[in-house]
């Protein structure tokens, strides 16, 4: 599959006639809401684990030195905590562009804190996309992140902002926190 998913996503029409749609963010969408929303609520999805397995050549890295950002991998018992936003369908034109490097919209159940479950959308980069980087040790992922920088800024800032946002959401994400720990150790060793 091509790395640019804009055209595929814009053919997804199932919520076009709705006045509003819930979008669940588990990565940068948690800490960088650069789109208008009607309401925002912490929540979770089930059956998916957050992993730094997606390559980033366009936002947090370059083709020569790709960064790593999060995607989701199926895992039966996993609970992935994040932030849900109620948006109008027009917002997806912007998000499709922002998430174009391999992410596809997927309809899923979103469990909102204190507000029940709704059907909504997530952006997910599956392993058949051209920018998929795949599993690696947390130490290797931290090393790659330490070196990468792209038009959206340093890859390390993405990691640190995500870890901080997850802490604020009260979630204990061992994968993200271990990569953060490794990155901070690398940065300290550099000084
Ligand atoms: C998301 O935040 O939900 C998708 C992944 C990302 O943009 O970091």
């Amino acid at each position: 599959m091509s790395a640019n998913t804009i055209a595929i996503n814009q053919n997804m029409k199932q919520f076009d006639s709705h006045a509003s749609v819930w979008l669940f963010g588990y990565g940068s969408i948690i800490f960088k809401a650069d789109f208008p929303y009607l309401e925002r609520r912490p929540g979770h999805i089930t059956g998916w684990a957050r992993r730094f397995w997606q390559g980033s050549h366009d936002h947090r890295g370059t083709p020569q030195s790709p960064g790593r950002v999060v995607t989701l991998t199926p895992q039966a018992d996993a609970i992935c905590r994040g932030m849900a936003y109620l948006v109008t369908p027009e917002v997806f034109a912007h998000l499709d562009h922002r998430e174009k490097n391999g992410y596809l919209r997927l309809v899923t159940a979103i469990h909102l804190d204190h507000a029940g479950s709704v059907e909504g959308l997530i952006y997910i980069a599956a392993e058949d996309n051209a920018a998929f980087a795949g599993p690696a040790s947390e130490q290797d992922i931290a090393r790659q992140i330490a070196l990468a920088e792209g038009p959206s800024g340093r890859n390390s800032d993405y990691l640190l902002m995500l870890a901080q946002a997850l802490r604020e959401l009260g979630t204990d994400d061992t994968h993200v926190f271990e990569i953060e720990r490794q990155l901070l150790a690398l940065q300290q060793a550099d000084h």
Side-chain angles (χ1 to χ4, degrees):
M1 197 221 304
S2 139
N4 188 329
T5 50
I6 294 180
I8 305 172
N9 280 326
Q10 297 204 338
N11 275 328
M12 279 195 69
K13 306 272 183 214
Q14 71 263 55
F15 290 109
D16 280 7
S17 61
H18 293 212
S20 58
V21 188
W22 282 98
L23 161 75
F24 178 81
Y26 56 88
S28 68
I29 291 176
I30 303 178
F31 62 80
K32 187 179 173 194
D34 60 352
F35 48 87
Y37 55 86
L38 307 164
E39 196 184 326
R40 181 171 89 143
R41 237 173 224 283
H44 68 273
I45 55 174
T46 57
W48 295 103
R50 178 179 12 243
R51 291 287 178 270
F52 266 91
W53 289 0
Q54 176 65 1
S56 179
H57 312 83
D58 60 341
H59 278 302
R60 298 285 177 172
T62 60
Q64 295 72 34
S65 176
R68 274 185 182 250
V69 290
V70 289
T71 183
L72 297 171
T73 188
Q75 189 180 301
D77 59 347
I79 293 178
C80 177
R81 210 159 150 66
M83 186 63 80
Y85 300 86
L86 186 63
V87 299
T88 57
E90 300 81 62
V91 167
F92 288 100
H94 165 69
L95 287 166
D96 288 345
H97 189 267
R98 167 173 161 173
E99 304 294 325
K100 68 181 188 309
N101 197 15
Y103 290 85
L104 289 175
R105 299 186 204 170
L106 181 75
V107 177
T108 192
I110 302 169
H111 307 279
L112 304 170
D113 286 6
H114 317 296
S117 289
V118 291
E119 190 171 69
L121 287 172
I122 54 176
Y123 280 89
I124 175 166
E127 40 177 85
D128 64 352
N129 86 86
F132 191 70
S137 72
E138 271 103 4
Q139 191 175 35
D140 285 347
I141 292 175
R143 285 203 189 105
Q144 186 176 346
I145 288 175
L147 297 174
E149 179 166 5
S152 298
R154 282 198 291 259
N155 202 179
S156 56
D157 287 342
Y158 175 106
L159 166 62
L160 298 175
M161 285 189 282
L162 178 59
Q164 177 60 24
L166 293 177
R167 244 173 239 116
E168 283 164 17
L169 284 170
T171 193
D172 180 18
D173 188 316
T174 48
H175 171 74
V176 174
F177 292 162
E178 176 58 18
I179 298 169
E180 180 194 39
R181 198 181 69 76
Q182 298 277 352
L183 175 92
L184 293 174
L186 285 171
Q187 288 181 336
Q188 203 133 47
D190 257 9
H191 282 106

